Amino acid sequence: MAYGHMIPTIDVARLFAARGVKATIIVTPRNASTSSKIIDRDRLSGLDIDIRTIPFPATEAGLPPGIENLDDITSPELIPKFGKAVDMLQLPFENLVQELRPNVIVGDMFIPWVTETAGKFGVPRIVFHGTCLFSLCLSESLRSCRPGITDKSTFLVPGLPDKIKMTMSELPEEAPATTGFAKLLERIRESEMQSYGAIINSFYELEPAYANHYTKVMGRKAWQIGPVSLRNEDTIDKAQRGKNSSVDEHCVLSWLDSKETNSVLYVCFGSVSRISNDQLVEIAMALEDSEIPFVWVIRQLENNEKRLLLPEGFEDRIKGKGLIITDWAPQVLILDHPAVGGFMTHCGWNSVLEGITAGVPLITWPVFGEQFHNQKFVTEVANIGIQVGVEKWNFWIDAENVSVKREKIVKAVIQLMSSDGEEATQMRNRAKQLSETASAAVKDGGSSYTNLTALIEELERNMKAADIVTESNYH
């Protein structure tokens, strides 16, 4: 229950429904509103898709009332309680499964007990990973090699198709907060090993070496069926994907219409990543100094009882040059606009893939999770972006932490957005090529379309075989 996982999972359910499969989305009440309008339109168009809710035990787990999403978490101390509440969902979920009797359960990676539940009902559990195969392969290699790393600076990650170097600072430190997260990751891995396979929001042509590595070297089953965001074909679906936007999409599009092609930088760090107010000030000054038009999505937070404070007079000075959106923006709609020529991102996989799908090169600003892995993919494998210079994995916000000074930010922005720079032009061309390939992958005959067909047909064969066995035992 984080928007970076929920939104693509809902797109996956819609893809199944579009192929004639009855799809039921199980979610908690507050989170149901995220997708209700889109699902209602799908139902009206004739798709067999529905939403069912189970209550989220926030109070029982020691959380403040109303918290049902990681987006709502205000301090790291609440994260273990949130995990406890998620574990408490297993029993009501099983009661619903008893009623619905599904043939297969697709469960997000961060809910590992779904594999156990699926086993109880004798149906396959498919893991939905909110990241790419490169990241999964890298994580597995790090798992095996990290205990032996003695070099505290740069080391080569062994056993991968590409030579990927990392530093220890790009990995979580051994600390109480991250120890709990490490235990959860191990539960996730064990759950995945016992599951039927995994659905990946990616497409084969984007990471062919890692698709082959995952199946042939790691010995796991996976179906790349993305980019799933391309399920949203019209403006309404793109605008209503996720939470209700804090800005009218027509105003944003009108503002972008007034800008030249590839001239605008889109800046967004996702719905969960926390960035200190001091760092936001550095970003603001850098955007102003670069003189590049920008759309900046800022998460409104109470940081140590202080409201977000931008430099004095900043919003007046950037009128016409910059557009600030607070809280939630229609990201896919913005990235798809011809005026947007670059994307500064926290490297959450949804954002990375949505940038690729739109054909937009990236400035990478990873914060935590697998975001440093994704940065490596963007800058060293796909070669469609540049690093802003973040060096340290950060579990939670540091109120006075500045990871990157404005001079470095300005340099990265100008380097990426330059219209005459050879490196930027090459990255932009590669991004455009990948965008065209992504669109082809989800169409009839494309790699992702074919993978989803193969998965559905395999599940149907398994169902028929199970029916034959059941009938034989009965007779």
Side-chain angles (χ1 to χ4, degrees):
M1 278 159 290
Y3 291 109
H5 288 251
M6 287 174 52
I7 293 170
T9 303
I10 290 161
D11 284 336
V12 169
R14 298 175 66 218
L15 284 170
F16 272 102
R19 298 296 194 88
V21 177
K22 176 177 174 58
T24 304
I25 299 166
I26 313 299
V27 72
T28 60
R30 279 175 60 104
N31 288 316
S33 61
T34 302
S35 56
S36 58
K37 292 180 181 178
I38 289 178
I39 300 307
D40 286 344
R41 284 198 299 277
D42 278 352
R43 261 201 309 272
L44 287 173
S45 72
L47 299 188
D48 195 352
I49 188 167
D50 195 14
I51 300 175
R52 297 289 297 270
T53 62
I54 49 178
F56 190 73
T59 305
E60 295 90 328
L63 290 167
I67 288 183
E68 293 185 16
N69 195 293
L70 275 177
D71 189 52
D72 303 323
I73 298 294
T74 55
S75 71
E77 292 75 23
L78 294 178
I79 292 178
K81 296 178 180 179
F82 187 84
K84 179 182 177 182
V86 171
D87 283 342
M88 292 169 67
L89 291 172
Q90 184 171 4
L91 182 57
F93 177 76
E94 290 180 355
N95 292 336
L96 195 52
V97 171
Q98 179 76 34
E99 174 193 339
L100 295 172
R101 290 292 179 179
N103 301 110
V104 61
I105 300 174
V106 178
D108 184 80
M109 60 176 286
F110 277 111
I111 313 181
W113 48 256
V114 174
T115 299
E116 179 187 347
T117 294
K120 289 180 181 179
F121 291 91
V123 298
R125 183 266 171 109
I126 296 176
V127 180
F128 176 70
H129 280 293
T131 190
C132 59
L133 288 174
F134 169 84
S135 175
L136 295 174
C137 294
L138 178 56
S139 295
E140 188 64 19
S141 292
L142 285 172
R143 180 179 175 276
S144 60
C145 80
R146 186 171 179 178
I149 297 172
T150 56
D151 186 353
K152 296 299 182 183
S153 55
T154 302
F155 64 93
L156 179 68
V157 182
L160 294 175
D162 295 291
K163 290 185 177 180
I164 303 298
K165 292 183 178 180
M166 297 195 73
T167 63
M168 290 300 291
S169 66
E170 294 172 324
L171 305 177
E173 295 178 351
E174 297 292 339
T178 56
T179 298
F181 183 62
K183 289 179 179 178
L184 174 59
L185 291 179
E186 190 57 33
R187 283 180 63 198
I188 290 168
R189 181 180 182 276
E190 292 172 359
S191 175
E192 181 189 351
M193 295 294 287
Q194 297 167 15
S195 70
Y196 188 78
I199 284 176
I200 308 296
N201 184 18
S202 180
F203 55 103
Y204 180 80
E205 295 83 356
L206 180 61
E207 44 177 352
Y210 295 91
N212 297 333
H213 184 88
Y214 189 82
T215 55
K216 295 177 181 178
V217 178
M218 292 172 57
R220 304 183 193 179
K221 296 174 73 171
W223 293 268
Q224 293 167 286
I225 66 168
V228 299
S229 62
L230 288 175
R231 171 62 194 162
N232 303 274
E233 297 176 335
D234 58 39
T235 300
I236 296 176
D237 280 0
K238 291 176 183 178
Q240 293 181 350
R241 188 170 180 258
K243 292 199 300 184
N244 290 328
S245 176
S246 56
V247 65
D248 182 84
E249 66 268 19
H250 301 294
C251 293
V252 178
L253 294 178
S254 178
W255 188 90
L256 289 170
D257 287 341
S258 69
K259 306 303 176 186
E260 295 181 6
T261 300
N262 292 333
S263 67
V264 176
L265 177 70
Y266 176 63
V267 183
C268 182
F269 299 109
S271 61
V272 174
S273 297
R274 265 72 171 173
I275 293 180
S276 71
N277 198 96
D278 290 347
Q279 181 64 80
L280 290 173
V281 169
E282 292 289 317
I283 295 170
M285 293 188 296
L287 292 173
E288 185 177 355
D289 289 351
S290 74
E291 299 186 344
I292 299 292
F294 64 87
V295 176
W296 185 12
V297 183
I298 302 178
R299 177 190 170 94
Q300 283 283 31
L301 285 177
E302 293 282 346
N303 295 339
N304 292 346
E305 299 183 352
K306 292 181 181 179
R307 291 299 296 171
L308 175 64
L309 298 174
L310 292 173
E312 186 176 352
F314 171 74
E315 294 184 64
D316 291 329
R317 293 193 300 272
I318 57 98
K319 276 184 180 176
K321 178 73 74 172
L323 180 65
I324 295 177
I325 301 173
T326 56
D327 198 21
W328 191 266
Q331 180 161 292
V332 170
L333 200 63
I334 292 171
L335 288 171
D336 281 348
H337 195 282
V340 176
F343 180 12
M344 184 184 293
T345 172
H346 66 305
C347 294
W349 181 245
N350 278 334
S351 290
V352 169
L353 190 58
E354 286 161 13
I356 290 170
T357 304
V360 175
L362 311 173
I363 296 173
T364 61
W365 192 311
V367 181
F368 69 107
E370 92 293 1
Q371 293 164 11
F372 280 91
H373 299 15
N374 296 337
Q375 173 177 257
K376 296 291 181 183
F377 179 78
V378 168
T379 60
E380 299 181 26
V381 179
N383 294 311
I384 53 165
I386 56 175
Q387 300 183 24
V388 77
V390 181
E391 297 178 348
K392 185 173 175 57
W393 196 97
N394 189 6
F395 184 74
W396 196 258
I397 188 170
D398 181 347
E400 298 180 352
N401 182 49
V402 174
S403 302
V404 189
K405 291 288 188 179
R406 68 169 159 173
E407 293 79 11
K408 277 190 173 183
I409 304 170
V410 170
K411 181 180 178 181
V413 169
I414 293 175
Q415 182 183 347
L416 188 82
M417 300 301 292
S418 172
S419 59
D420 54 2
E422 183 179 349
E423 183 184 10
T425 300
Q426 289 176 349
M427 284 190 293
R428 195 172 308 283
N429 289 339
R430 281 193 292 269
K432 293 295 183 186
Q433 290 169 0
L434 286 173
S435 172
E436 292 170 3
T437 307
S439 295
V442 299
K443 292 176 181 174
D444 194 349
S447 60
S448 294
Y449 188 97
T450 302
N451 279 340
L452 182 54
T453 300
L455 173 57
I456 292 171
E457 289 178 349
E458 183 173 324
L459 293 170
E460 286 177 334
R461 287 195 300 271
N462 291 347
M463 285 163 48
K464 289 175 182 176
D467 288 342
I468 291 170
V469 170
T470 302
E471 290 176 12
S472 175
N473 290 343
Y474 177 78
H475 290 299

